[in-house]
Amino acid sequence: MDMLLYVISVILASILIIPLVLRTFYPYLWIDVLYCGELLRILATFISRRRRRPLFFVLDRFLEQTAARTHKPFIVCGDETYSYTSTDKRSNKIANALQAHPGYKAGDTVALFMGNQPAFMLTWLALAKLGSPVALLNHNIRTKCLLHCFNCCKATVLIAASELKEAVEDVLPSLLEQGVTVLLMTKHCDTPGVQSFSDEVDEASDAPLPRSLRSHITFKSPAVYIYTSGTTGLPKAAVVNQNRLLTALAVLSSIGVTSSDVIYLNLPLYHTAGFMIGFIGSIETGSTIILKRKFSASQFWDDCRKYNVTVVQYIGEVMRYLCSTPKRENDKDHKVRLAIGNGIRADIWREFLSRFGNIQVREFYASTEGNVAFVNYVGKIGAIGRVHFLQRMLFPYVVIKYDTERDEPVRDANGLCVESPKGETGLMLSKITDLAPFVGYAQNEDQTERKRLRNVLKKGDLYFNSGDLMRIDKDNFIYFQDRVGDTFRWKGENVATTEVSDILTISDCLKEANVYGVQVPGHEGRIGMAAVTVREGVQFDGSQIYNHVVRYLPSYARPRFIRKQNAVEVTGTFKQMKAKLVEESFNPRRIQDCLYILDDNEKSYIPLTAQVYDCIMSGNIKL
Ligand SMILES: *[C@@H]1O[C@H](CO)[C@@H](O)[C@H](O)[C@H]1NC(C)=O
């Protein structure tokens, strides 16, 4: 009897204790297991689609959704609404009009020069129906850069939005010389060499296009070209092939987005986040897209309320702008349940949750051309992802030691890279395999080769170099630390520019700060410099900034020079432009903006004169 009682109590105790033990020592076990199931589901769907004959592409998924959802709204933009069926019909009209156009041959590469508007998506679908690859031009670029981007992908046709007529006219002589067909989305156009296209679309048939037009396409065929705005030089066109586009279908569905969701897309469609995640992701889930021409912090929540938005997309700056709008009574009054994006900082993340309510933030990591992606499916604040054994098995990646001084990976006596121990920052590399290919950039083998790294863990192996420094903590969460190049060394210490800029922007008088290192003759490494803007209605206060900087930053990390600007230059996704600033350095004869130098005797940032500059350059002032 006693024995039985003993056995029963042991069993009972185990039943009670085991979950407790698991929760304490493996707090994420259950979530990891669920995510494992999700990965397997994604993989199974992908493999079964890849096996279908005739071949199955993203367009085919759109056609499936159209058949299933017919009159459900697909794209809503301002007062324009397109159901799945009307999206399909309108894109047929565009495709038929283009096919009838003498300047176009089926399969030709077409460049799309257009801001966020339904026509962007409709034209892309039309071109997919015609079997044409599409170059997604950034609608903010002009002249030389526009021509460069156009030429990168060997397009023969340019389709532009009517409001970009002048930008097109700027480069028209070069385009016409190359025999490019230039179409403007307008009903009437007087400029010789530019043809109006909307009138032709209106008159065209909305009959479906025969599948034979796309019969030449394989999974390796380019589907879209997306331009990545590096910190140096002209943009590069990353080739997104049909296989890659097919994998993009999984992104929204993998974080639980369904057809009953309404997605707020306020990021540019010419970039990966807007196009691949927002637009292509919604094709998979069959959701409704609320398309915003441009991000607006003041309209954001009103839009969410008006359209019953349940999922929003973000980049770090979006979250920061939202948190810096004035507080309102109805901040928590909305139906948003999920936010997906990347680049949110931990402090903003906390503030966002406390202010706007219990929204699941799904921070992810991915790049346009890269072959590695992570998603923080746990919601751990600050992390971009989590090490998962299944992912690591299928898509091997490694964090290696990186020498930020020499700007290259650390190599051992055998010439191989060295894996970073847990908790230490290193460079993220991802093995290039059939399952995780790296396609590279169009017409740019040189830049493509630069992203490849050989002899990493074994002689002859091949990895994709993400260019991102990351850290994996003891609980297996992955943290983004810096872009290679966003760290510089001074007095033998690494300075992380984003950290310094965070500190500067919490000072009383600075609004924005872009931090970088500049070279000084006779000194190793780079010394800190910050391009800043001042808060509205506030004066630049050198001694206040000095006290702030001295209080929060070690001496090697304090920006020695400050350049006061009216606005911090940013790219289309608000990434700060550094290369130009670094190049212009701190020469008061070359720079119009006010320059300041940190002066420890005066305990202030004081104006940097040409004389002081000369003394630094000649070595009479040591820094
Ligand atoms: C939003 O939801 C409310 C209540 O669920 C409904 O009355 C309203 O019509 C919806 N608005 C839109 C634009 O769907």
Side-chain angles (χ1 to χ4, degrees), residues 306-308 335:
K306 179 172 168 195
Y307 297 108
N308 293 335
K335 297 200 172 80

Side-chain angles (χ1 to χ4, degrees), residues 339-616:
I340 174 167
N342 74 322
I344 183 174
R345 291 183 191 158
D347 53 336
I348 301 279
W349 189 332
R350 282 189 198 95
E351 196 179 331
F352 181 81
L353 295 183
S354 83
R355 185 161 162 199
F356 300 108
N358 192 15
I359 298 169
Q360 290 180 54
V361 176
R362 288 286 172 266
E363 173 84 1
F364 73 91
Y365 167 83
S367 62
T368 307
E369 66 278 46
N371 66 343
V372 56
F374 301 109
V375 58
N376 175 355
Y377 51 88
V378 177
K380 167 96 171 177
I381 288 182
I384 56 157
R386 179 164 168 75
V387 176
H388 193 279
F389 77 96
L390 186 63
Q391 181 184 10
R392 200 156 193 179
M393 203 170 75
L394 295 170
F395 308 97
Y397 57 86
V398 62
V399 176
I400 57 154
K401 288 192 177 185
Y402 193 76
D403 183 337
T404 45
E405 174 80 326
R406 303 170 60 174
D407 233 349
E408 60 184 38
V410 173
R411 297 229 177 225
D412 65 12
N414 300 319
L416 297 176
C417 297
V418 185
E419 198 167 339
S420 288
K422 272 202 174 151
E424 245 178 57
T425 297
L427 179 67
M428 174 62 73
L429 306 178
S430 171
K431 195 163 190 181
I432 298 176
T433 63
D434 286 340
L435 208 53
F438 167 55
V439 182
Y441 308 104
Q443 320 289 326
N444 203 336
E445 185 47 39
D446 189 37
Q447 292 288 350
T448 303
E449 186 54 35
R450 274 198 211 182
K451 298 296 281 180
R452 295 189 182 119
L453 200 63
R454 291 164 207 280
N455 307 324
V456 173
L457 299 181
K458 279 203 272 286
K459 280 266 178 275
D461 63 6
L462 178 62
Y463 280 71
F464 170 75
N465 180 350
S466 71
D468 290 322
L469 299 174
M470 298 193 191
R471 179 172 60 83
I472 299 176
D473 74 2
K474 61 173 186 11
D475 293 326
N476 281 325
F477 285 101
I478 309 169
Y479 296 84
F480 177 83
Q481 300 298 113
D482 249 315
R483 284 287 302 160
V484 163
D486 274 358
T487 314
F488 59 87
R489 259 172 106 79
W490 181 245
K491 309 253 184 207
E493 299 279 356
N494 283 331
V495 182
T497 58
T498 47
E499 278 173 36
V500 177
S501 106
D502 282 355
I503 294 290
L504 290 176
T505 49
I506 58 165
S507 78
D508 289 337
C509 77
L510 299 181
K511 185 165 161 234
E512 297 161 295
N514 191 354
V515 176
Y516 46 96
V518 291
Q519 279 175 317
V520 186
H523 291 80
E524 291 295 316
R526 290 165 181 272
I527 195 163
M529 180 160 182
V532 302
T533 58
V534 174
R535 288 180 200 273
E536 270 147 60
V538 179
Q539 290 289 316
F540 182 90
D541 182 342
S543 76
Q544 190 267 323
I545 299 169
Y546 175 89
N547 288 327
H548 181 81
V549 160
V550 169
R551 179 158 168 218
Y552 290 104
L553 291 171
S555 66
Y556 61 85
R558 295 172 196 157
R560 184 58 63 107
F561 304 109
I562 289 185
R563 171 176 181 169
K564 191 173 80 130
Q565 298 189 296
N566 293 329
V568 167
E569 272 184 74
V570 291
T571 66
T573 40
F574 313 105
K575 268 192 199 131
Q576 295 169 330
M577 300 288 279
K578 283 195 191 177
K580 192 159 146 256
L581 293 168
V582 171
E583 198 224 275
E584 288 175 355
S585 196
F586 60 100
N587 183 349
R589 291 196 187 84
R590 249 187 97 187
I591 296 171
Q592 299 286 320
D593 302 326
C594 294
L595 293 172
Y596 300 87
I597 179 169
L598 180 146
D599 189 320
D600 281 315
N601 296 326
E602 298 274 333
K603 300 207 180 308
S604 182
Y605 280 92
I606 60 168
L608 174 68
T609 60
Q611 287 89 323
V612 172
Y613 175 80
D614 291 339
C615 290
I616 294 170

Side-chain angles (χ1 to χ4, degrees), residues 54-69:
L55 299 185
F56 183 91
F57 300 110
V58 165
L59 175 65
D60 298 294
R61 180 63 183 155
F62 170 76
L63 296 174
E64 275 183 7
Q65 294 287 23
T66 302
R69 308 195 185 277

Side-chain angles (χ1 to χ4, degrees), residues 199-447:
D199 46 346
E200 293 176 20
V201 173
D202 288 344
E203 278 157 29
S205 145
D206 66 4
L209 284 289
R211 187 177 260 282
S212 60
L213 288 170
R214 323 189 272 275
S215 59
H216 62 286
I217 297 180
T218 69
F219 287 108
K220 290 212 162 114
S221 308
V224 288
Y225 297 93
I226 295 184
Y227 295 83
T228 61
S229 49
T231 43
T232 52
L234 290 161
K236 297 173 290 212
V239 184
V240 176
N241 64 22
Q242 292 288 351
N243 181 65
R244 175 91 193 212
L245 210 59
L246 202 63
T247 60
L249 285 175
V251 181
L252 287 183
S253 87
S254 74
I255 57 161
V257 176
T258 68
S259 61
S260 49
D261 280 306
V262 177
I263 294 156
Y264 190 58
L265 204 172
N266 57 76
L267 303 177
L269 280 171
Y270 58 79
H271 267 154
T272 304
F275 187 83
M276 305 258 276
I277 294 175
F279 176 45
I280 302 296
S282 301
I283 288 178
E284 171 73 358
T285 56
S287 312
T288 297
I289 296 171
I290 309 300
L291 180 65
K292 191 77 183 157
R293 278 169 204 268
K294 211 169 167 234
F295 166 72
S296 157
S298 61
Q299 291 164 17
F300 191 96
W301 295 108
D302 288 338
D303 282 343
C304 290
R305 281 183 277 270
K306 179 172 168 195
Y307 297 108
N308 293 335
V309 168
T310 56
V311 179
V312 298
Q313 270 192 285
Y314 69 83
I315 51 173
E317 289 77 0
V318 161
M319 297 306 233
R320 190 152 55 81
Y321 294 148
L322 290 177
C323 288
S324 65
T325 56
K327 285 204 166 74
R328 290 200 289 193
E329 290 264 295
N330 59 356
D331 275 346
K332 289 199 171 96
D333 171 21
H334 57 74
K335 297 200 172 80
V336 177
R337 64 178 188 91
L338 202 62
I340 174 167
N342 74 322
I344 183 174
R345 291 183 191 158
D347 53 336
I348 301 279
W349 189 332
R350 282 189 198 95
E351 196 179 331
F352 181 81
L353 295 183
S354 83
R355 185 161 162 199
F356 300 108
N358 192 15
I359 298 169
Q360 290 180 54
V361 176
R362 288 286 172 266
E363 173 84 1
F364 73 91
Y365 167 83
S367 62
T368 307
E369 66 278 46
N371 66 343
V372 56
F374 301 109
V375 58
N376 175 355
Y377 51 88
V378 177
K380 167 96 171 177
I381 288 182
I384 56 157
R386 179 164 168 75
V387 176
H388 193 279
F389 77 96
L390 186 63
Q391 181 184 10
R392 200 156 193 179
M393 203 170 75
L394 295 170
F395 308 97
Y397 57 86
V398 62
V399 176
I400 57 154
K401 288 192 177 185
Y402 193 76
D403 183 337
T404 45
E405 174 80 326
R406 303 170 60 174
D407 233 349
E408 60 184 38
V410 173
R411 297 229 177 225
D412 65 12
N414 300 319
L416 297 176
C417 297
V418 185
E419 198 167 339
S420 288
K422 272 202 174 151
E424 245 178 57
T425 297
L427 179 67
M428 174 62 73
L429 306 178
S430 171
K431 195 163 190 181
I432 298 176
T433 63
D434 286 340
L435 208 53
F438 167 55
V439 182
Y441 308 104
Q443 320 289 326
N444 203 336
E445 185 47 39
D446 189 37
Q447 292 288 350

Side-chain angles (χ1 to χ4, degrees), residues 79-202:
D79 43 21
E80 279 180 279
T81 298
Y82 288 88
S83 67
Y84 275 84
T85 300
S86 58
T87 302
D88 186 37
K89 292 226 161 107
R90 183 75 192 169
S91 65
N92 287 346
K93 272 165 130 15
I94 299 174
N96 282 315
L98 198 60
Q99 206 191 9
H101 204 286
Y104 170 85
K105 284 197 323 297
D108 277 354
T109 300
V110 175
L112 191 57
F113 189 41
M114 204 176 268
N116 276 16
Q117 50 187 283
F120 189 110
M121 296 162 164
L122 299 170
T123 309
W124 183 78
L125 285 167
L127 291 164
K129 289 172 178 178
L130 292 169
S132 273
V134 188
L136 309 180
L137 297 177
N138 174 341
H139 61 93
N140 299 301
I141 59 170
R142 296 290 180 269
T143 60
K144 190 177 137 217
C145 186
L146 175 54
L147 272 180
H148 162 81
C149 290
F150 183 85
N151 289 332
C152 273
C153 57
K154 302 221 154 105
T156 54
V157 178
L158 175 71
I159 300 180
S162 59
E163 62 272 19
L164 294 168
K165 182 162 169 244
E166 277 171 30
V168 172
E169 285 170 354
D170 285 346
V171 294
L172 193 59
S174 306
L175 293 178
L176 295 178
E177 205 172 288
Q178 297 171 48
V180 174
T181 303
V182 182
L183 304 176
L184 199 66
M185 279 291 190
T186 179
K187 291 198 179 169
H188 179 78
C189 181
D190 287 330
T191 312
V194 181
Q195 301 163 52
S196 62
F197 189 49
S198 301
D199 46 346
E200 293 176 20
V201 173
D202 288 344

